[in-house]
């Protein structure tokens, strides 16, 4: 994308099915984004360059997804002053707990907003990105309110269906 507001970086193409959840949210809200693959360990110079150049390209925040040692979000946060949202990937010997700990235990001074492990975390990363962007984009704010209202209406509909089924 030519003018992305969000950069999604994942450590491996195996993370793509999970990170498509974040991409879907951004697409639904009309947020321009770009997805890239770069590894903190296998391509550290490329990763540092992506992070360092993001702000100059108009990116406002970065979503970083990785599993296992999960240093990607922290490496990116160290190379930029943009907000970084981390998404730990499931799998590996510890089912993603290692990735969660690696992201959430960043040293003071290099913050990474860390989401849940896996698809729920990727979805929430997209939503959190929209919330951050909504601070300066009223159209995203309005869409976010509508999204929340729709969720509430769906819960009410499901409860009404449950109550109607119990009445029989």
């Amino acid at each position: 994308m030519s003018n992305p507001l969000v950069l999604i970086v994942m450590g491996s193409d195996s993370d793509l099915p999970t990170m498509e959840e974040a991409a879907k949210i951004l697409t639904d809200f009309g947020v321009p984004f770009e997805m890239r693959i770069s590894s903190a360990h296998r391509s550290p110079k490329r990763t540092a360059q992506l992070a360092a150049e993001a702000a100059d390209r108009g990116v406002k925040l970065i979503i970083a997804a990785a599993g296992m040692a999960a240093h990607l979000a922290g490496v990116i946060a160290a190379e930029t002053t943009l907000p970084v949202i981390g998404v730990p990937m499931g799998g590996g010997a510890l089912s993603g707990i290692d990735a969660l700990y690696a992201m959430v235990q960043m040293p003071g001074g290099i913050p990474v907003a860390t989401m849940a492990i896996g698809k729920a975390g990727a979805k929430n990363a997209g939503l959190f990105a929209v919330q951050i962007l909504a601070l300066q984009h009223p159209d995203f704010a309005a869409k976010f309110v509508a999204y929340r209202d729709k969720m509430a209406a769906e819960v009410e509909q499901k409860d009404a269906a449950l109550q109607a089924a119990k009445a029989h």
Side-chain angles (χ1 to χ4, degrees):
M1 174 142 312
S2 58
N3 295 308
L5 294 177
V6 177
L7 172 60
I8 299 173
V9 183
M10 59 200 96
S12 169
D13 61 344
S14 65
D15 301 334
L16 184 58
T18 298
M19 295 315 297
E20 286 174 339
E21 295 293 321
K24 181 181 182 313
I25 290 291
L26 296 174
T27 299
D28 289 349
F29 279 87
V31 175
F33 68 93
E34 176 180 66
M35 295 180 92
R36 304 295 296 267
I37 297 171
S38 193
S39 170
H41 300 110
R42 294 181 297 269
S43 56
K45 290 178 185 173
R46 176 179 176 15
T47 299
Q49 184 176 0
L50 276 172
E53 295 175 351
D56 290 340
R57 295 190 309 112
V59 170
K60 300 300 180 196
L61 62 95
I62 300 171
I63 298 172
M68 298 171 62
H71 293 126
L72 184 62
V75 167
I76 287 174
E79 295 289 343
T80 185
T81 57
L82 295 174
V84 176
I85 303 169
V87 180
M89 295 290 100
L94 301 178
S95 303
I97 297 295
D98 47 351
L100 174 65
Y101 284 162
M103 285 185 196
V104 80
Q105 289 296 104
M106 288 299 300
I110 308 294
V112 170
T114 305
M115 301 293 120
I117 297 168
K119 288 187 176 189
K123 181 176 183 177
N124 282 340
L127 290 167
F128 193 51
V130 170
Q131 285 182 292
I132 292 169
L133 294 169
L135 294 170
Q136 294 186 344
H137 297 269
D139 53 329
F140 296 147
K143 288 178 181 179
F144 194 82
V145 170
Y147 175 85
R148 287 276 180 96
D149 290 346
K150 180 181 174 197
M151 281 195 319
E154 288 171 354
V155 170
E156 290 177 25
Q157 290 170 355
K158 289 175 183 178
D159 182 57
L162 175 64
Q163 299 311 312
K166 284 177 38 181
H168 289 100

